[in-house]
Amino acid sequence: MLKTYIFDEANKKWIEEDKSLLYHDLCAILDEERNIIYLWNGPKSSQEKLKKGYGLLESLMSYYPTINFQLLVLKKKVPSHIQERIDIMLYEIKHEDKKDYYKFSRFISIRLYLIFLLVSIILPIFSFVNLISSLSWIKIDANFEIGAEAYNNWLLISYILIVISLIFFSIIILIGIIEIEYQVIVFSLLGVLVCGGLIAYLQQGIFLFLFQEGSSSIYYIRQNDIIEFLIVVALGIMVFEIPNVIKLISSIKIYRKFVF
């Protein structure tokens, strides 16, 4: 038969407890069949607490005057029947830890979140790759040359990709609200705000640049203007890409067994 006691450091005494155990507890497990007292010092407990509890074990053993107990401090190797009792008493705190670790409570939410987030991260990158293709336009002196229709299509492709990304980030915000996952909400809201700003920026169309003399059906844009434009867009995308990429990686590590 096993009996368990928790050391009350404040009152300097051992208290019988057979239901719950915390990581900062010092626990004495009495094995009356084997005449052994096992001392379990929790991972968040201190060696000082172990010393105090160990020194006051005589008061505990006084309840069993006819038994000569052997004292063992548990380290790496723990007898199976003792480990089972410890696991049972730690169940409640482990269950709470798991709730804190797993923020999402529904499989469908996890899958939708990861899919939408992955797409929301990839589309702005494709959008920027499309914009950076401007560096391959025909160069004339210090200017780039681009046809009016090609210019409009160039902006339209990136515009559409950013709009889709904004929609997906909005959906992710709803998932975060449903699951009460504040980090998801904040990072996705950041994506919505920046994507909204980029959309407004790209909507300027022909007013994005000061076209050089001679522009009509063919636009002449200063190379420095294009480079400055790309830097502004890149910085804007990085503002929400970096935290969301980090969140995606951590989410995959946490929820991979529910997805793959």
Side-chain angles (χ1 to χ4, degrees):
M1 181 179 177
L2 298 178
K3 287 191 176 182
T4 51
Y5 295 83
I6 303 297
F7 181 60
D8 183 350
E9 189 174 12
N11 295 311
K12 297 181 180 180
K13 64 179 181 179
W14 289 90
I15 301 172
E16 188 169 3
E17 172 62 59
D18 60 359
K19 293 183 179 179
S20 62
L21 193 60
L22 301 176
Y23 292 135
H24 62 262
D25 282 337
L26 173 63
C27 178
I29 305 171
L30 276 66
D31 188 338
E32 295 182 89
E33 293 182 4
R34 296 173 176 81
N35 295 345
I36 300 175
I37 294 180
Y38 298 95
L39 272 183
W40 178 84
N41 199 31
K44 293 185 178 180
S45 183
S46 64
Q47 289 298 312
E48 183 65 27
K49 190 172 187 177
L50 176 61
K51 290 179 182 178
K52 290 179 181 179
Y54 191 90
L56 292 172
L57 276 174
E58 289 185 3
S59 62
L60 180 59
M61 290 187 288
S62 65
Y63 296 128
Y64 307 89
T66 60
I67 302 177
N68 185 22
F69 283 107
Q70 176 187 358
L71 299 178
L72 289 179
V73 178
L74 295 173
K75 294 182 180 178
K76 291 185 178 180
K77 291 185 178 181
V78 180
S80 58
H81 68 296
I82 299 299
Q83 186 64 60
E84 183 179 351
R85 171 58 69 90
I86 292 172
D87 289 340
I88 290 172
M89 295 180 70
L90 285 173
Y91 174 79
E92 187 175 341
I93 189 66
K94 285 183 176 180
H95 183 66
E96 289 298 318
D97 284 349
K98 187 175 288 188
K99 283 170 62 179
D100 291 338
Y101 185 66
Y102 295 121
K103 301 293 185 180
F104 286 89
S105 60
R106 302 169 181 83
F107 291 143
I108 185 64
S109 296
I110 297 170
R111 295 187 177 107
L112 288 176
Y113 168 68
L114 292 177
I115 291 170
F116 285 133
L117 182 58
L118 182 61
V119 175
S120 299
I121 289 171
I122 291 175
L123 291 184
I125 294 174
F126 286 167
S127 176
F128 184 71
V129 169
N130 173 65
L131 293 175
I132 208 171
S133 67
S134 59
L135 298 178
S136 64
W137 293 347
I138 297 172
K139 297 178 183 178
I140 299 178
D141 296 328
N143 300 323
F144 283 115
E145 177 187 301
I146 181 71
E149 185 177 353
Y151 174 86
N152 291 330
N153 291 335
W154 172 67
L155 286 181
L156 181 62
I157 291 171
S158 291
Y159 175 85
I160 291 173
L161 292 175
I162 295 295
V163 167
I164 295 172
S165 186
L166 183 146
I167 293 170
F168 277 26
F169 272 127
S170 299
I171 295 172
I172 294 172
I173 289 175
L174 292 177
I175 294 173
I177 292 172
I178 292 171
E179 293 290 345
I180 316 178
E181 224 289 31
Y182 298 110
Q183 200 172 68
V184 167
I185 296 171
V186 172
F187 289 169
S188 300
L189 183 59
L190 185 62
V192 167
L193 294 174
V194 177
C195 284
L198 290 173
I199 289 169
Y201 190 38
L202 296 176
Q203 273 184 325
Q204 294 181 59
I206 61 174
F207 300 106
L208 270 172
F209 306 101
L210 180 62
F211 296 143
Q212 300 304 297
E213 185 178 349
S215 297
S216 56
S217 60
I218 301 295
Y219 298 150
Y220 298 97
I221 308 170
R222 290 178 64 245
Q223 292 180 25
N224 287 343
D225 289 351
I226 289 288
I227 292 172
E228 289 173 5
F229 165 74
L230 293 175
I231 291 173
V232 169
V233 174
L235 291 175
I237 290 175
M238 287 173 61
V239 166
F240 66 86
E241 284 282 282
I242 292 174
N244 278 290
V245 167
I246 294 172
K247 182 63 177 177
L248 176 64
I249 293 171
S250 66
S251 296
I252 290 174
K253 289 180 179 179
I254 294 171
Y255 300 110
R256 62 182 179 275
K257 69 179 181 181
F258 302 114
V259 179
F260 305 108

